[in-house]
Amino acid sequence: MTHASLTCCVTLFVVIGLAACDTAQSRTEHPAYGPGQTSRSTRGMVVSGAPLATDVGRRMLESGGNAVDAAVATAFALAVVEPSMSGLGGRTQILIRTGDSEFVGIDGTTQVPASAPADDPASDPDTYGYSTIAIPGTVAALSEAASSYGTKPLAELIAPALQLAENGFALPTEEAQRFASAADELAESVGARTYFLAGDAEAPAAGERFMQHDLARVLRAISDQGPEVFYRGWIAESIALDMERNGGFVQRSDLAAYSAR
């Protein structure tokens, strides 16, 4: 949510080849704004920290996607609807069990930039800001999972998140509270101030329509051009320039060299 939000993580545990559930299709409704954090259908179950993202995963299963498709779509949606906890600039570890009982791990951990000092200020838990930002792994890990173990094109998996970013959604109470609790830190960043403080000192209220047009532009680019644009294209260039201007250590060479393991 602050600059250090770029180190937020998403951990996904997914199973390919889910058996049909014994129960009839059902949805747990959240009293405030729609589906619950756990959603069950005839094709499986999806759980995430945000009901709107959970529903994206459920719909992906019901459209014929496998568990990896649902998990990747859910993770991209989380980057939109729960930006204080998950983001494209974070890290993602994925554990997959295939229908043949093969176990696979994809490690999209953030990495320390090559030019970061040995006495890394990120080791201080009270430090935040550009100097704490590492090389992000989420986009690489999610893209690798989709291409190697999913069944749907990446653009289709990103589409629900893109729609949420472009059209907005009713800001959940918990997210509004997290924005408000970090208002002082958010005010120090132009980008954070623009979105998370609505351009002034006040965080948006719960229930307000929350739109993120710049994030939508990034998601559309990844959807159209793949992860390469994030690590080697104009997004990488934008990240590197922002780092240089504000005392960060992530450079274009760091981004270009990154790969999920």
Side-chain angles (χ1 to χ4, degrees):
M1 186 163 60
T2 63
H3 306 311
S5 69
L6 293 185
T7 60
C8 290
C9 66
V10 177
T11 302
L12 304 176
F13 297 93
V14 297
V15 183
I16 296 179
L18 292 174
C21 295
D22 294 331
T23 59
Q25 177 179 335
S26 62
R27 287 170 58 186
T28 303
E29 296 298 326
H30 189 286
Y33 64 108
Q37 288 176 271
T38 302
S39 188
R40 192 184 298 257
S41 81
T42 56
R43 292 184 54 83
M45 184 173 72
V46 178
V47 181
S48 83
L52 288 173
T54 296
D55 197 50
V56 165
R58 177 192 63 82
R59 287 187 279 118
M60 196 58 63
L61 285 177
E62 291 182 349
S63 71
N66 67 12
V68 170
D69 295 322
V72 170
T74 299
F76 276 111
L78 280 171
V80 177
V81 302
E82 197 179 52
S84 68
M85 305 298 290
S86 304
L88 296 183
R91 63 183 183 269
T92 298
Q93 287 79 36
I94 307 175
L95 178 62
I96 301 170
R97 180 186 179 188
T98 71
D100 297 326
S101 296
E102 175 190 5
F103 289 90
V104 180
I106 299 175
D107 186 6
T109 303
T110 46
Q111 296 179 5
V112 177
S115 63
D119 54 341
D120 184 2
S123 62
D124 181 351
D126 296 325
T127 297
Y128 67 93
Y130 278 86
S131 64
T132 70
I133 296 173
I135 309 165
T138 289
V139 172
L142 295 178
S143 300
E144 173 63 26
S147 63
S148 296
Y149 300 98
T151 64
K152 292 179 176 288
L154 185 63
E156 188 174 341
L157 304 182
I158 293 175
L162 176 57
Q163 183 177 23
L164 285 164
E166 284 185 332
N167 299 333
F169 55 93
L171 188 66
T173 300
E174 297 83 358
E175 198 69 359
Q177 290 172 342
R178 286 190 284 264
F179 291 172
S181 69
D184 290 344
E185 291 87 354
L186 292 172
E188 299 175 19
S189 162
V190 174
R193 205 163 54 237
T194 299
Y195 285 99
F196 305 127
L197 297 182
D200 53 37
E202 295 294 328
E208 286 187 20
R209 180 153 295 275
F210 185 60
M211 294 183 287
Q212 301 166 88
H213 298 299
D214 288 313
L215 179 56
R217 181 174 175 234
V218 168
L219 287 168
R220 186 176 297 281
I222 298 170
S223 174
D224 292 343
Q225 303 174 51
E228 285 290 312
V229 69
F230 187 89
Y231 291 97
R232 296 172 181 84
W234 69 261
I235 298 174
E237 182 177 0
S238 297
I239 292 172
L241 286 173
D242 192 44
M243 294 288 122
E244 183 179 358
R245 290 167 181 164
N246 293 280
F249 299 110
V250 178
Q251 300 177 3
R252 286 203 67 171
S253 57
D254 294 314
L255 293 161
Y258 188 91
S259 62
R261 299 179 179 177

